[in-house]
mmCIF file of all heavy atoms in Angstrom:
data_model
loop_
_atom_site.group_PDB
_atom_site.id
_atom_site.type_symbol
_atom_site.label_atom_id
_atom_site.label_comp_id
_atom_site.label_asym_id
_atom_site.label_seq_id
_atom_site.Cartn_x
_atom_site.Cartn_y
_atom_site.Cartn_z
ATOM 1 N N GLU A 1 -12.417 0.634 3.064
ATOM 2 C CA GLU A 1 -11.272 1.397 3.316
ATOM 3 C C GLU A 1 -10.961 2.425 2.226
ATOM 4 O O GLU A 1 -10.637 3.572 2.552
ATOM 5 C CB GLU A 1 -9.997 0.487 3.403
ATOM 6 C CG GLU A 1 -8.725 1.129 3.615
ATOM 7 C CD GLU A 1 -8.510 1.785 4.977
ATOM 8 O OE1 GLU A 1 -9.454 1.734 5.796
ATOM 9 O OE2 GLU A 1 -7.455 2.342 5.203
ATOM 10 N N VAL A 2 -11.280 2.058 0.926
ATOM 11 C CA VAL A 2 -11.107 3.165 -0.115
ATOM 12 C C VAL A 2 -12.015 4.272 0.139
ATOM 13 O O VAL A 2 -11.626 5.395 0.050
ATOM 14 C CB VAL A 2 -11.305 2.432 -1.465
ATOM 15 C CG1 VAL A 2 -11.287 3.498 -2.597
ATOM 16 C CG2 VAL A 2 -10.319 1.418 -1.809
ATOM 17 N N VAL A 3 -13.318 3.912 0.413
ATOM 18 C CA VAL A 3 -14.236 5.021 0.624
ATOM 19 C C VAL A 3 -13.858 5.833 1.790
ATOM 20 O O VAL A 3 -13.984 7.133 1.710
ATOM 21 C CB VAL A 3 -15.689 4.381 0.763
ATOM 22 C CG1 VAL A 3 -16.726 5.521 1.137
ATOM 23 C CG2 VAL A 3 -16.143 3.627 -0.435
ATOM 24 N N ARG A 4 -13.426 5.286 2.853
ATOM 25 C CA ARG A 4 -13.012 5.974 4.092
ATOM 26 C C ARG A 4 -11.920 6.935 3.802
ATOM 27 O O ARG A 4 -11.968 8.148 4.188
ATOM 28 C CB ARG A 4 -12.639 4.987 5.225
ATOM 29 C CG ARG A 4 -12.198 5.633 6.459
ATOM 30 C CD ARG A 4 -11.817 4.528 7.496
ATOM 31 N NE ARG A 4 -10.539 4.027 7.290
ATOM 32 C CZ ARG A 4 -9.409 4.403 7.956
ATOM 33 N NH1 ARG A 4 -9.496 5.387 8.823
ATOM 34 N NH2 ARG A 4 -8.194 3.855 7.674
ATOM 35 N N CYS A 5 -10.923 6.410 3.131
ATOM 36 C CA CYS A 5 -9.742 7.250 2.798
ATOM 37 C C CYS A 5 -9.998 8.352 1.827
ATOM 38 O O CYS A 5 -9.537 9.500 2.001
ATOM 39 C CB CYS A 5 -8.570 6.340 2.210
ATOM 40 S SG CYS A 5 -8.008 5.162 3.443
ATOM 41 N N VAL A 6 -10.815 8.090 0.808
ATOM 42 C CA VAL A 6 -11.148 9.146 -0.229
ATOM 43 C C VAL A 6 -11.946 10.164 0.412
ATOM 44 O O VAL A 6 -11.663 11.430 0.205
ATOM 45 C CB VAL A 6 -11.800 8.453 -1.468
ATOM 46 C CG1 VAL A 6 -12.320 9.573 -2.379
ATOM 47 C CG2 VAL A 6 -10.871 7.550 -2.205
ATOM 48 N N GLN A 7 -12.896 9.806 1.272
ATOM 49 C CA GLN A 7 -13.757 10.893 1.894
ATOM 50 C C GLN A 7 -12.929 11.611 2.874
ATOM 51 O O GLN A 7 -13.212 12.809 3.194
ATOM 52 C CB GLN A 7 -14.934 10.190 2.659
ATOM 53 C CG GLN A 7 -15.924 9.621 1.603
ATOM 54 C CD GLN A 7 -17.051 8.943 2.361
ATOM 55 O OE1 GLN A 7 -17.014 8.476 3.473
ATOM 56 N NE2 GLN A 7 -18.179 8.819 1.647
ATOM 57 N N ALA A 8 -11.856 11.107 3.454
ATOM 58 C CA ALA A 8 -10.977 11.806 4.424
ATOM 59 C C ALA A 8 -9.899 12.759 3.638
ATOM 60 O O ALA A 8 -9.215 13.469 4.218
ATOM 61 C CB ALA A 8 -10.278 10.914 5.234
ATOM 62 N N GLY A 9 -9.785 12.531 2.255
ATOM 63 C CA GLY A 9 -8.910 13.365 1.528
ATOM 64 C C GLY A 9 -7.480 12.701 1.519
ATOM 65 O O GLY A 9 -6.502 13.455 1.180
ATOM 66 N N TRP A 10 -7.317 11.501 1.873
ATOM 67 C CA TRP A 10 -6.075 10.831 1.948
ATOM 68 C C TRP A 10 -5.595 10.306 0.627
ATOM 69 O O TRP A 10 -6.454 9.911 -0.197
ATOM 70 C CB TRP A 10 -6.019 9.680 3.048
ATOM 71 C CG TRP A 10 -6.331 10.210 4.401
ATOM 72 C CD1 TRP A 10 -6.170 11.440 4.940
ATOM 73 C CD2 TRP A 10 -6.812 9.375 5.444
ATOM 74 N NE1 TRP A 10 -6.607 11.444 6.210
ATOM 75 C CE2 TRP A 10 -7.046 10.197 6.609
ATOM 76 C CE3 TRP A 10 -7.121 8.002 5.521
ATOM 77 C CZ2 TRP A 10 -7.473 9.773 7.804
ATOM 78 C CZ3 TRP A 10 -7.578 7.480 6.790
ATOM 79 C CH2 TRP A 10 -7.786 8.334 7.915
ATOM 80 N N LEU A 11 -4.393 10.261 0.390
ATOM 81 C CA LEU A 11 -3.749 9.763 -0.859
ATOM 82 C C LEU A 11 -3.325 8.211 -0.811
ATOM 83 O O LEU A 11 -3.140 7.631 -1.812
ATOM 84 C CB LEU A 11 -2.569 10.588 -1.309
ATOM 85 C CG LEU A 11 -2.776 12.024 -1.551
ATOM 86 C CD1 LEU A 11 -1.510 12.754 -2.047
ATOM 87 C CD2 LEU A 11 -3.940 12.311 -2.369
ATOM 88 N N GLN A 12 -3.362 7.747 0.438
ATOM 89 C CA GLN A 12 -3.086 6.329 0.593
ATOM 90 C C GLN A 12 -3.640 5.811 1.889
ATOM 91 O O GLN A 12 -3.982 6.659 2.721
ATOM 92 C CB GLN A 12 -1.544 6.023 0.523
ATOM 93 C CG GLN A 12 -0.698 6.877 1.570
ATOM 94 C CD GLN A 12 0.787 6.510 1.371
ATOM 95 O OE1 GLN A 12 1.210 5.438 1.350
ATOM 96 N NE2 GLN A 12 1.528 7.615 1.231
ATOM 97 N N SER A 13 -3.805 4.511 1.961
ATOM 98 C CA SER A 13 -4.382 3.838 3.157
ATOM 99 C C SER A 13 -3.391 3.608 4.199
ATOM 100 O O SER A 13 -2.213 3.037 3.883
ATOM 101 C CB SER A 13 -5.027 2.538 2.741
ATOM 102 O OG SER A 13 -5.263 1.738 3.883
ATOM 103 N N PRO A 14 -3.678 3.981 5.428
ATOM 104 C CA PRO A 14 -2.685 3.652 6.502
ATOM 105 C C PRO A 14 -2.532 2.152 6.743
ATOM 106 O O PRO A 14 -1.604 1.631 7.294
ATOM 107 C CB PRO A 14 -3.332 4.344 7.779
ATOM 108 C CG PRO A 14 -4.729 4.549 7.351
ATOM 109 C CD PRO A 14 -4.800 4.789 5.891
ATOM 110 N N GLN A 15 -3.621 1.294 6.290
ATOM 111 C CA GLN A 15 -3.601 -0.027 6.514
ATOM 112 C C GLN A 15 -2.901 -0.831 5.306
ATOM 113 O O GLN A 15 -2.423 -2.014 5.462
ATOM 114 C CB GLN A 15 -5.000 -0.636 6.607
ATOM 115 C CG GLN A 15 -5.666 -0.328 7.910
ATOM 116 C CD GLN A 15 -6.993 -0.986 8.051
ATOM 117 O OE1 GLN A 15 -8.107 -0.388 8.031
ATOM 118 N NE2 GLN A 15 -6.971 -2.322 8.304
ATOM 119 N N MET A 16 -2.841 -0.174 4.179
ATOM 120 C CA MET A 16 -2.187 -0.786 2.966
ATOM 121 C C MET A 16 -1.540 0.412 2.291
ATOM 122 O O MET A 16 -1.886 0.760 1.155
ATOM 123 C CB MET A 16 -3.215 -1.438 2.089
ATOM 124 C CG MET A 16 -2.591 -2.260 0.896
ATOM 125 S SD MET A 16 -1.451 -3.547 1.480
ATOM 126 C CE MET A 16 -0.219 -3.594 0.122
ATOM 127 N N PRO A 17 -0.456 0.922 2.876
ATOM 128 C CA PRO A 17 0.239 2.154 2.275
ATOM 129 C C PRO A 17 1.032 1.769 1.057
ATOM 130 O O PRO A 17 1.383 0.584 0.815
ATOM 131 C CB PRO A 17 1.129 2.658 3.396
ATOM 132 C CG PRO A 17 1.363 1.498 4.233
ATOM 133 C CD PRO A 17 0.163 0.590 4.107
ATOM 134 N N HIS A 18 1.458 2.765 0.297
ATOM 135 C CA HIS A 18 2.393 2.640 -0.850
ATOM 136 C C HIS A 18 3.657 1.860 -0.394
ATOM 137 O O HIS A 18 4.127 1.054 -1.222
ATOM 138 C CB HIS A 18 2.691 3.950 -1.482
ATOM 139 C CG HIS A 18 1.486 4.619 -2.061
ATOM 140 N ND1 HIS A 18 1.587 5.972 -2.448
ATOM 141 C CD2 HIS A 18 0.223 4.179 -2.288
ATOM 142 C CE1 HIS A 18 0.430 6.342 -2.886
ATOM 143 N NE2 HIS A 18 -0.427 5.303 -2.756
ATOM 144 N N ALA A 19 4.144 2.201 0.720
ATOM 145 C CA ALA A 19 5.422 1.541 1.190
ATOM 146 C C ALA A 19 5.353 0.097 1.258
ATOM 147 O O ALA A 19 6.245 -0.685 0.982
ATOM 148 C CB ALA A 19 5.903 2.142 2.493
ATOM 149 N N GLU A 20 4.121 -0.377 1.645
ATOM 150 C CA GLU A 20 3.867 -1.852 1.721
ATOM 151 C C GLU A 20 3.867 -2.490 0.386
ATOM 152 O O GLU A 20 4.518 -3.575 0.152
ATOM 153 C CB GLU A 20 2.574 -2.103 2.481
ATOM 154 C CG GLU A 20 2.307 -3.575 2.698
ATOM 155 C CD GLU A 20 3.261 -4.248 3.633
ATOM 156 O OE1 GLU A 20 3.867 -3.522 4.460
ATOM 157 O OE2 GLU A 20 3.425 -5.506 3.516
ATOM 158 N N THR A 21 3.216 -1.950 -0.546
ATOM 159 C CA THR A 21 3.290 -2.367 -1.909
ATOM 160 C C THR A 21 4.692 -2.420 -2.470
ATOM 161 O O THR A 21 5.092 -3.450 -3.086
ATOM 162 C CB THR A 21 2.380 -1.578 -2.812
ATOM 163 O OG1 THR A 21 1.064 -1.661 -2.444
ATOM 164 C CG2 THR A 21 2.573 -1.851 -4.264
ATOM 165 N N LEU A 22 5.458 -1.357 -2.264
ATOM 166 C CA LEU A 22 6.813 -1.375 -2.744
ATOM 167 C C LEU A 22 7.698 -2.429 -2.041
ATOM 168 O O LEU A 22 8.513 -3.024 -2.811
ATOM 169 C CB LEU A 22 7.378 0.100 -2.559
ATOM 170 C CG LEU A 22 6.660 1.177 -3.346
ATOM 171 C CD1 LEU A 22 7.185 2.499 -2.877
ATOM 172 C CD2 LEU A 22 7.051 1.011 -4.808
ATOM 173 N N ALA A 23 7.556 -2.574 -0.846
ATOM 174 C CA ALA A 23 8.384 -3.631 -0.154
ATOM 175 C C ALA A 23 8.037 -4.952 -0.646
ATOM 176 O O ALA A 23 8.945 -5.829 -0.770
ATOM 177 C CB ALA A 23 8.134 -3.512 1.423
ATOM 178 N N LEU A 24 6.792 -5.271 -0.764
ATOM 179 C CA LEU A 24 6.351 -6.602 -1.214
ATOM 180 C C LEU A 24 6.936 -6.946 -2.635
ATOM 181 O O LEU A 24 7.483 -8.011 -2.848
ATOM 182 C CB LEU A 24 4.825 -6.686 -1.312
ATOM 183 C CG LEU A 24 4.076 -7.140 -0.109
ATOM 184 C CD1 LEU A 24 2.601 -6.966 -0.259
ATOM 185 C CD2 LEU A 24 4.384 -8.627 0.250
ATOM 186 N N LEU A 25 6.821 -5.939 -3.511
ATOM 187 C CA LEU A 25 7.381 -6.151 -4.898
ATOM 188 C C LEU A 25 8.866 -6.127 -4.862
ATOM 189 O O LEU A 25 9.463 -6.849 -5.700
ATOM 190 C CB LEU A 25 6.841 -5.118 -5.767
ATOM 191 C CG LEU A 25 5.328 -5.197 -6.144
ATOM 192 C CD1 LEU A 25 4.875 -4.005 -6.890
ATOM 193 C CD2 LEU A 25 5.145 -6.483 -7.053
ATOM 194 N N GLY A 26 9.561 -5.532 -3.939
ATOM 195 C CA GLY A 26 11.009 -5.632 -3.789
ATOM 196 C C GLY A 26 11.343 -7.075 -3.529
ATOM 197 O O GLY A 26 12.328 -7.629 -4.060
ATOM 198 N N TRP A 27 10.562 -7.781 -2.651
ATOM 199 C CA TRP A 27 10.854 -9.129 -2.271
ATOM 200 C C TRP A 27 10.597 -10.024 -3.437
ATOM 201 O O TRP A 27 11.404 -10.993 -3.784
ATOM 202 C CB TRP A 27 9.971 -9.545 -1.119
ATOM 203 C CG TRP A 27 10.400 -9.002 0.182
ATOM 204 C CD1 TRP A 27 11.392 -8.136 0.466
ATOM 205 C CD2 TRP A 27 9.849 -9.399 1.500
ATOM 206 N NE1 TRP A 27 11.469 -7.844 1.846
ATOM 207 C CE2 TRP A 27 10.595 -8.559 2.448
ATOM 208 C CE3 TRP A 27 8.859 -10.155 1.864
ATOM 209 C CZ2 TRP A 27 10.277 -8.604 3.850
ATOM 210 C CZ3 TRP A 27 8.533 -10.224 3.259
ATOM 211 C CH2 TRP A 27 9.215 -9.478 4.202
ATOM 212 N N THR A 28 9.463 -9.830 -4.191
ATOM 213 C CA THR A 28 9.204 -10.745 -5.264
ATOM 214 C C THR A 28 10.209 -10.535 -6.431
ATOM 215 O O THR A 28 10.600 -11.497 -7.121
ATOM 216 C CB THR A 28 7.688 -10.490 -5.830
ATOM 217 O OG1 THR A 28 7.593 -9.074 -6.305
ATOM 218 C CG2 THR A 28 6.710 -10.780 -4.786
ATOM 219 N N ASP A 29 10.648 -9.333 -6.614
ATOM 220 C CA ASP A 29 11.694 -9.083 -7.610
ATOM 221 C C ASP A 29 12.927 -9.912 -7.302
ATOM 222 O O ASP A 29 13.534 -10.611 -8.192
ATOM 223 C CB ASP A 29 12.143 -7.658 -7.630
ATOM 224 C CG ASP A 29 11.160 -6.708 -8.417
ATOM 225 O OD1 ASP A 29 10.214 -7.216 -9.023
ATOM 226 O OD2 ASP A 29 11.367 -5.379 -8.347
ATOM 227 N N GLN A 30 13.362 -9.847 -6.048
ATOM 228 C CA GLN A 30 14.587 -10.641 -5.598
ATOM 229 C C GLN A 30 14.397 -12.141 -5.833
ATOM 230 O O GLN A 30 15.267 -12.852 -6.348
ATOM 231 C CB GLN A 30 14.940 -10.370 -4.125
ATOM 232 C CG GLN A 30 15.391 -8.955 -3.915
ATOM 233 C CD GLN A 30 15.728 -8.738 -2.520
ATOM 234 O OE1 GLN A 30 16.648 -9.430 -1.909
ATOM 235 N NE2 GLN A 30 15.093 -7.855 -1.799
ATOM 236 N N LEU A 31 13.163 -12.678 -5.420
ATOM 237 C CA LEU A 31 12.896 -14.100 -5.486
ATOM 238 C C LEU A 31 12.841 -14.490 -6.937
ATOM 239 O O LEU A 31 13.298 -15.646 -7.256
ATOM 240 C CB LEU A 31 11.652 -14.417 -4.723
ATOM 241 C CG LEU A 31 11.671 -14.212 -3.219
ATOM 242 C CD1 LEU A 31 10.366 -14.428 -2.556
ATOM 243 C CD2 LEU A 31 12.760 -15.175 -2.584
ATOM 244 N N ARG A 32 12.238 -13.765 -7.798
ATOM 245 C CA ARG A 32 12.128 -14.125 -9.264
ATOM 246 C C ARG A 32 13.479 -14.151 -9.854
ATOM 247 O O ARG A 32 13.774 -14.953 -10.679
ATOM 248 C CB ARG A 32 11.263 -13.121 -9.987
ATOM 249 C CG ARG A 32 9.704 -13.384 -9.781
ATOM 250 C CD ARG A 32 8.861 -12.543 -10.819
ATOM 251 N NE ARG A 32 9.063 -11.071 -10.708
ATOM 252 C CZ ARG A 32 9.756 -10.393 -11.609
ATOM 253 N NH1 ARG A 32 10.260 -11.033 -12.641
ATOM 254 N NH2 ARG A 32 9.873 -9.172 -11.483
#
């Protein structure tokens, strides 16, 4: 996926976008 996205000139993966990372950490912050 990294190779695919970089070769396409994308800044993030549609399968694992930045928004997903941020949302997950928002949940872990709350639970911690």
Side-chain angles (χ1 to χ4, degrees):
E1 177 70 357
V2 173
V3 175
R4 181 179 81 96
C5 292
V6 171
Q7 290 181 337
W10 300 339
L11 301 186
Q12 56 184 307
S13 162
Q15 289 187 254
M16 186 61 206
H18 296 169
E20 183 64 24
T21 291
L22 293 169
L24 272 172
L25 287 170
W27 287 5
T28 60
D29 282 354
Q30 292 182 59
L31 295 172
R32 281 193 302 106

